[in-house]
């Protein structure tokens, strides 16, 4: 399969709690990207971390990258009900120049 | 951010007919566009990479004669599902890059295709 895997597949938390999603990828990346998808909609780009970066922040989002383990994590702090969505990591660049998506995590934030 | 417009958002067609889906980059030129297919509660599966002015590159297992992709200009790519069957029913999403591999991709709103 071309896809990486995300863990957990589904996550349910209370508003105000932090949510952590993990991504294992397969290729030698140029970058690792995280996207959000509301049900039945297109994807929204959240953050891009390059292969030579280890950590990146954007608002309530924190992404880490460990290229030795081919893994990345997305942390959403102080979650809100509006954060309820599916979150996907995507392997960017590398030899193929493609954007390959992981299996995704369905996050539900209970108000 | 850059805007990618995908049309139609929903389409219902009869078995055996063809359906065309358009993907336009509204405020940037996209030398490369990507077409994905998504099954319910599943991830996006890359179908093909569309390069302006050349033939699309299809992923393994994707029938190029069934899923015709045309990238006639720097702002428009089309996916035509030919001789549609019910098993082609799915959510199709296009995306476009503003630059090379190190740049983010922007996505269309997706097209829900139902073949009856």
């Amino acid at each position: 399969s071309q896809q990486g895997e995300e863990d957990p597949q589904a996550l349910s938390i209370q508003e105000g709690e932090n949510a952590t999603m993990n991504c294992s990828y397969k290729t030698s990346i140029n970058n690792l990207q995280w996207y959000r998808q509301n049900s039945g909609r297109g994807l929204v780009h959240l953050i891009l971390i390059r292969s030579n970066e280890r950590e990146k922040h954007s608002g309530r989002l924190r992404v880490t990258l460990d290229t030795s383990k081919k893994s990345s994590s997305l942390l959403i702090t102080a979650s809100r009900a509006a954060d309820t969505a599916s979150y996907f990591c995507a392997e960017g660049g590398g030899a193929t120049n493609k954007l390959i998506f992981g299996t995704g995590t369905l996050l539900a934030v209970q108000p | 951010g850059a805007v990618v417009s995908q049309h139609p958002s929903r389409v219902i067609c009869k078995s055996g007919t063809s359906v065309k889906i358009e993907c336009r980059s509204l405020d940037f030129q996209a030398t490369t566009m990507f077409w994905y297919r998504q099954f319910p509660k599943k991830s996006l599966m890359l179908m093909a990479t569309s390069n302006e002015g050349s033939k699309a590159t299809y992923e393994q297992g994707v029938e190029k004669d069934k899923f015709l992709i045309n990238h006639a200009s720097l702002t428009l790519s089309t996916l035509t599902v030919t001789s549609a069957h019910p098993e082609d029913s799915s959510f199709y999403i296009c995306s476009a890059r503003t630059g090379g591999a190190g740049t983010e991709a922007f996505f269309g709103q997706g097209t829900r295709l139902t073949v009856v």
Side-chain angles (χ1 to χ4, degrees), chain A residues 3 31 37 50 97-99 102, chain B residues 36 38 43 59 97 101-102:
Chain A
Q3 291 186 302
N31 60 76
Q37 183 183 35
R50 302 193 187 284
N97 199 35
K98 302 174 188 177
L99 193 61
Chain B
Y36 293 85
Q38 186 178 31
S43 185
E59 294 299 301
R97 275 208 185 104

Side-chain angles (χ1 to χ4, degrees), chain A residues 87-107:
Chain A
Y87 292 82
F88 297 94
C89 66
E91 305 167 37
T96 63
N97 199 35
K98 302 174 188 177
L99 193 61
I100 305 297
F101 283 82
T103 50
T105 295
L106 178 59
L107 173 66

Side-chain angles (χ1 to χ4, degrees), chain B residues 2 10 22-23 28 40 43-44 56-57 86 88 92 94 100 103:
Chain B
R10 288 179 179 273
E22 292 188 349
C23 180
F28 67 98
S43 185
L44 283 74
T57 302
D88 298 327
Y92 294 87
C94 70
T103 58

Side-chain angles (χ1 to χ4, degrees), chain B residues 16-84:
Chain B
T17 62
S18 295
V19 174
K20 180 184 284 188
I21 302 169
E22 292 188 349
C23 180
R24 293 180 184 272
S25 55
L26 297 186
D27 50 2
F28 67 98
Q29 293 184 332
T31 55
T32 304
M33 290 185 174
F34 302 90
W35 287 95
Y36 293 85
R37 180 174 181 174
Q38 186 178 31
F39 292 99
K41 297 185 179 180
K42 297 292 184 182
S43 185
L44 283 74
M45 298 299 298
L46 180 63
M47 298 175 66
T49 303
S50 168
N51 296 295
E52 186 267 337
S54 64
K55 292 183 178 180
T57 302
Y58 289 82
E59 294 299 301
Q60 191 174 9
V62 178
E63 298 177 62
K64 60 182 179 181
D65 293 331
K66 180 165 188 63
F67 298 100
L68 300 179
I69 291 172
N70 182 275
H71 195 156
S73 75
L74 287 171
T75 60
L76 174 64
S77 177
T78 61
L79 167 67
T80 301
V81 182
T82 63
S83 187

